[in-house]
Amino acid sequence: MTDNQNVLKFVNDSAALVQPRRIVWITGEEDQLEALRKEALATGELIKLNEDLLPGCYLHRSATNDVARVEGRTFICCKNKDDAGPINNWMDPQEAYEKVGAIFEGSMKGKTMYVIPYSMGAVGSKFSKIGIEITDSIYVVVSMAIMTRIGNKVLDTLGDSNDFVRGLHAKADLDAEKRYILHFPEDNTIWSVNSGYGGNVLLGKKCFALRIASYLGKNEGWMAEHMLILGVENPEGEIKYVAAAFPSACGKTNLAMLIPPEIYKQKGYKVWCVGDDIAWIRVGADGRLWAINPENGFFGVAPGTNMKSNPNALLSTKKNAIFTNVVHNLDNNTVWWEGMDKNPPTNALDWKGNRWTADCGEKGAHPNSRFTAPAINCPCISSEFEAPDGVPLSAIIFGGRRAKTAPLVYEARDWNSGVFIGSAMASETTAAATGAVGVVRRDPMAMRPFVGYNMADYFAHWIEMGTKISNQPKIFNVNWFRTDDNGNFIWPGYGDNLRVLEWILARCENKVDAVETPIGYVPVPEDINIEGLDDVTVDTIKELLTVDPENWKEEVKGIEEFYAQFGDRLPKELSEKLAELKARLN
Ligand code: GTP
Ligand code: SPV
Ligand code: MN
């Protein structure tokens, strides 16, 4: 435990509110975690999977009304409504504490309250930050033990400091009408109630490492971004790092762990994963941007993950992992999901726990079913995964799901043009959040659901950061999801995305020319290496790289509408970039 009076006060105040039967401090010791897993087995909260095939692995089913982030019930609670901005839901802090305090009140009666000290970033790194999460869920405890660094060592590092994020979570009775995910950036506090699902309850992840951290970053001069970080090692053994922001379920985990195509492997290319979801980025003494992954594990989308699309992700789940809302194969006590292989189990339960066969017409795994896996399981985890200063970035990449408008890849003219491109990103919605799937919406920097303050100020922060980086990375946009007239993806994607990364890195080293278009620079089609690809010709690449001015004029209208809601708060640099784009299109 700890003598830290700030921590003790937080724990005592929380206990007074939720009134648990007992309080358990999570030490980080394996014995304690194992005892908790056993307890969860007894209640059915966890199901132990086949110890020979999936050692240390468990299955969990969330409530059927609780399967994704709830953006409509996620709030930023700051004193001034304008500081939350037009994109976030806002609640007055006083009102929020009262209203949701009433829901928390007595919610842990008869239950155990767990106190989880955790570090985002390697324990003790000067870029790391500490949180304490209080929860009534063993699933949360054991998941946080995978996703973050937890336990006594974190309290030791905290010492008697008051610099930690206070997180209070109660599953309560999982009442969707009383579900609230509240952020109090001005108080370093997060409250989450009536959910048991990942992004709503593993408070280190989206709540802290993005919403609260983005606010801290704005005030302290750094950036918290929804980005993967990967290193590409070339045949000479040099490693260049890139960070990429794609909206939820748009390919970060897949890109972060990609397996090079055969011809690249033969030449000696390797890809190293530093992170798959979140990057904390600072300006280094050398004037470059340096990024760390604050997480310690992956909370990845299960459906579609297979030995062809993402073997490294699948292999990461082979031990000490937790699967949520997937199919339970009763024949061998393992798991299955759509897109794992072509042999769905015949003796199985679906994600709800009901008897299920593949021909019943319904999916067996929830589209947002997930695995929680330790990062060290990943066969291509980077040697720099724990590097306290992170890795230097050569490029920043934005991307999304766009059936038409966006080309396979293009490069921004300069930093501010790159910020403009990021701010105007749009993507089709996915199952990662509740609500309609496949609707195009603006999702700036893939951060629409995750900026803890006014989005216009977030854009201004990006512009401001540009002025502090003497050695700026280049900024690019990619789109793996262009479709043909029949709705099929044109680009093979996955491992073959390395072909695009190769062009991006060549641009960063001024080794290759590009073609100017109204939106930025696209590759000379022949410069995208298609060697070894069966169905892709130079004509396919030409098609993937077209920039249709009519589509883009429509796009400009959409951006104008989107920008309008920010009023005077929108940085003038961005309205200028929009005006320039409009002029170039005409
Ligand atoms: P979050 O964890 O929600 O932030 O998602 P993510 O961005 O990490 O997405 P992930 O890599 O899990 O991919 C989500 C879905 O996109 C999966 O169904 C993948 O199969 C699919 N996907 C990923 N990369 C590609 C690609 O290059 N091409 C195509 N067509 N699909 C892809
Ligand atoms: C996302 O939705 O972007 C995720 C999953 O990475 S969650 O942790 O639920 O946010
Ligand atoms: Mn994510």
Side-chain angles (χ1 to χ4, degrees), residues 428-545:
E428 294 162 23
T429 51
T430 65
T434 53
V437 167
V439 183
V440 175
R441 69 168 184 181
R442 299 281 147 201
D443 189 346
M445 284 85 173
M447 283 288 279
R448 180 187 182 110
F450 307 122
V451 176
Y453 58 101
N454 190 315
M455 182 74 79
D457 299 353
Y458 168 77
F459 295 155
H461 183 48
W462 265 84
I463 306 251
E464 159 93 20
M465 286 298 294
T467 65
K468 294 184 183 159
I469 314 163
S470 52
N471 208 335
Q472 292 174 344
K474 283 187 189 257
I475 301 181
F476 299 82
N477 192 275
V478 299
N479 178 19
W480 316 138
F481 298 94
R482 253 203 197 188
T483 53
D484 61 20
D485 294 338
N486 301 320
N488 300 313
F489 295 124
I490 305 173
W491 176 244
Y494 300 100
D496 289 312
N497 292 334
L498 182 58
R499 299 167 188 274
V500 174
L501 292 181
E502 187 190 21
W503 182 79
I504 286 175
L505 290 172
R507 286 294 294 168
C508 293
E509 295 172 61
N510 299 313
K511 283 186 181 158
V512 64
D513 272 342
V515 182
E516 191 165 359
T517 77
I519 62 170
Y521 303 107
V522 299
V524 175
E526 287 76 10
D527 286 337
I528 298 290
N529 183 352
I530 54 171
E531 194 188 337
L533 281 178
D534 291 338
D535 301 326
V536 178
T537 63
V538 175
D539 282 337
T540 319
I541 300 293
K542 281 185 188 150
E543 185 188 348
L544 285 164
L545 293 175

Side-chain angles (χ1 to χ4, degrees), residues 69 205-206 226 246-255 276-277 299-301 303-305 309-310 368 370 401 430 432 480-481 489 491-495 497:
R69 283 182 293 99
K205 196 173 177 62
K206 295 302 172 31
H226 193 197
F246 310 154
S248 301
C250 290
K252 289 183 300 300
T253 302
N254 277 273
L255 189 68
D276 81 324
D277 199 49
F299 185 58
V301 177
T305 305
S309 66
N310 194 347
N368 191 38
R370 300 242 167 195
R401 284 179 190 261
T430 65
W480 316 138
F481 298 94
F489 295 124
W491 176 244
Y494 300 100
N497 292 334

